[in-house]
Amino acid sequence: MKHYFEYQDSKSYKFWQVEIEANTLNVKYGKIGTAGQEKISSFDTPEKAQKEMEKLMSEKTKKGYVEKTDASAKKIARRIGVSYDEAEEGKTLLEKVTAFLETTQATEVESLVIAAWEEPHETSPQEALDLLIANPAKLPQLKELFVGDMDSEECEISWIIQADYTQLFTAFPALERLHIKGSTDLTLSTLPLKHEHLKALTIECGGLPNKIIETIVTAQLPNLEYLQLYIGVEDYGFDGKLDDLRPFMQKDLFPKLTHLGLVDSEIANEIATEIAQASVLEQLETLDLSMGTLSDDGGRALLDSDKIAGLKKLDLHYHYLSNDMIKEFKKMPILVDVTDQQDTEEEWRYPAVTE
């Protein structure tokens, strides 16, 4: 018996497969389109192998993997970045993007990742982004764009200088997924944001400016299914209040939205208390309030809500919940991730993504 699962978010596109034969389990996993890795385990009896398979499948489901009858096709992807050594030699992101656009592969690429550029704490990727915007005909298959895929050793997230994306939405009307890392000098759009095909939007940062929140809540994104916003902290750019986030909690702001993430927040308790009775829960499958300062105050509001039970998944990982409250969440009839408990005795509490 074989079971095949896939997981996709703004960063990942991977599979996990388990097959049982008598008392042997064969597990394969990796990026979609690759052969992946394989792990074979033997058990004393077929019953023990079956039990282990069910346990593993449950774990994957809790992490957001979805079982499918057929494997998805491989995406043609390209990652472009400037390493530290390349930057020292004077190479630039603009040069690399220019060279990429002259290749035949550019016309086939569906997913484009822009990694680090030269001195990202001082310079913007604007010139390279503008070059992409000026050449949509050279990227006819582009469906996904991630700008700023770098780790803390390359640049701390709150130091990443970002760009103005206003013209991107017109240049690429077929774009489905946009992921932006870093919010310093970020402009999502100076015009009313409209896009017919965008399905997923992620902004990952240490602090989300209110001007970005305002741009999103007034946007016309009729096909948006996935919205993941890192709220962050005031010291790194968050200058909004709970009132500014309330529009996200209203049903049909984005009629097809099934995943809402308001994560990495220092006002996680306020958000949880407010959203626990919000109408948006009627349309969501997943609510993500992870990586923030959520404690028992916000946790109690979620547990007492009669709307939370309609979700498929509630993600609260990285939190300050007590042991007793964690036990209560584990009893809920939906999937709840309450892993990565922080020290509840700490006087100072911080979201996961801060410096």
Side-chain angles (χ1 to χ4, degrees):
M1 181 182 298
K2 181 188 297 184
H3 295 273
Y4 176 83
F5 294 77
E6 290 186 358
Y7 178 84
Q8 181 173 349
D9 61 16
S10 59
K11 294 182 182 179
S12 304
Y13 192 51
K14 51 192 178 182
F15 74 93
W16 183 85
Q17 176 183 295
V18 60
E19 185 172 7
I20 186 170
E21 292 183 5
N23 61 337
T24 300
L25 277 186
N26 186 335
V27 174
K28 292 183 179 180
Y29 58 94
K31 292 183 179 180
I32 290 175
T34 69
Q37 301 181 55
E38 186 173 15
K39 180 181 178 182
I40 299 175
S41 303
S42 297
F43 297 84
D44 295 337
T45 65
E47 289 75 21
K48 288 183 178 181
Q50 178 71 27
K51 185 175 181 180
E52 178 65 14
M53 183 179 73
E54 292 172 356
K55 174 188 172 185
L56 293 174
M57 289 171 57
S58 176
E59 290 174 351
K60 289 298 177 183
T61 303
K62 288 180 180 179
K63 290 180 179 179
Y65 281 76
V66 177
E67 186 167 8
K68 294 193 171 186
T69 55
D70 298 301
S72 296
K74 177 183 178 180
K75 292 182 182 178
I76 299 176
R78 180 68 182 268
R79 189 174 191 269
I80 304 174
V82 179
S83 70
Y84 178 81
D85 289 339
E86 288 175 328
E88 288 288 294
E89 295 170 1
K91 294 183 179 179
T92 68
L93 179 64
L94 180 60
E95 291 173 349
K96 286 202 159 189
V97 170
T98 300
F100 163 66
L101 289 177
E102 295 305 315
T103 65
T104 56
Q105 186 193 33
T107 61
E108 301 175 350
V109 166
E110 301 168 71
S111 178
L112 180 61
V113 176
I114 302 298
W117 48 90
E118 63 280 10
E119 299 181 333
H121 60 289
E122 294 182 357
T123 61
S124 162
Q126 191 69 61
E127 288 185 335
L129 181 65
D130 287 345
L131 184 62
L132 295 175
I133 291 169
N135 291 278
K138 293 185 176 182
L139 295 162
Q141 304 300 323
L142 189 66
K143 297 290 194 304
E144 303 179 3
L145 177 64
F146 181 1
V147 180
D149 184 23
M150 61 189 87
D151 60 30
S152 60
E153 291 186 0
E154 294 170 300
C155 187
E156 294 286 359
I157 189 170
S158 298
W159 300 358
I160 298 173
I161 306 297
Q162 265 295 342
D164 184 340
Y165 289 76
T166 301
Q167 302 303 322
L168 178 79
F169 300 100
T170 301
F172 295 98
L175 192 70
E176 295 182 357
R177 306 178 74 86
L178 176 62
H179 186 146
I180 299 170
K181 188 171 184 178
S183 61
T184 300
D185 294 342
L186 171 64
T187 297
L188 195 58
S189 181
T190 58
L191 303 172
L193 177 53
K194 299 179 181 180
H195 200 281
E196 289 295 320
H197 293 97
L198 195 68
K199 294 181 179 180
L201 174 62
T202 298
I203 300 181
E204 185 180 353
C205 61
L208 189 65
N210 195 44
K211 69 171 186 175
I212 304 300
I213 296 172
E214 291 176 351
T215 299
I216 298 171
V217 299
T218 57
Q220 294 181 31
L221 303 172
N223 284 293
L224 192 70
E225 300 172 359
Y226 181 102
L227 179 62
Q228 187 84 349
L229 301 176
Y230 285 59
I231 307 303
V233 300
E234 183 177 357
D235 287 346
Y236 293 109
F238 176 59
D239 56 359
K241 298 179 180 178
L242 180 64
D243 283 348
D244 301 309
L245 300 175
R246 283 196 172 98
F248 295 121
M249 305 180 193
Q250 302 305 309
K251 184 180 179 181
D252 294 332
L253 174 67
F254 304 116
K256 293 189 177 180
L257 193 71
T258 58
H259 174 108
L260 175 61
L262 300 174
V263 306
D264 193 56
S265 176
E266 62 183 350
I267 60 168
N269 282 326
E270 295 175 55
I271 293 172
T273 300
E274 186 73 18
I275 206 168
Q277 299 300 329
S279 59
V280 72
L281 294 179
E282 298 171 19
Q283 72 181 77
L284 295 182
E285 295 180 359
T286 300
L287 175 63
D288 188 349
L289 302 179
S290 65
M291 300 191 293
T293 57
L294 184 71
S295 64
D296 284 8
D297 291 339
R300 176 49 58 193
L302 294 171
L303 284 166
D304 289 345
S305 168
D306 57 355
K307 296 185 176 186
I308 291 294
L311 297 170
K312 290 184 178 178
K313 182 178 180 181
L314 176 62
D315 192 343
L316 304 177
H317 81 271
Y318 186 100
H319 57 81
Y320 292 85
L321 297 168
S322 66
N323 291 332
D324 288 342
M325 187 146 291
I326 289 173
K327 291 177 182 178
E328 288 193 59
F329 274 112
K330 288 182 175 180
K331 293 177 182 178
M332 292 191 71
I334 63 172
L335 298 173
V336 184
D337 187 345
V338 283
T339 59
D340 202 6
Q341 180 190 33
Q342 303 301 297
D343 187 350
T344 59
E345 300 300 319
E346 283 286 346
E347 180 180 358
W348 303 103
R349 296 178 176 180
Y350 304 95
V353 182
T354 55
E355 286 108 51

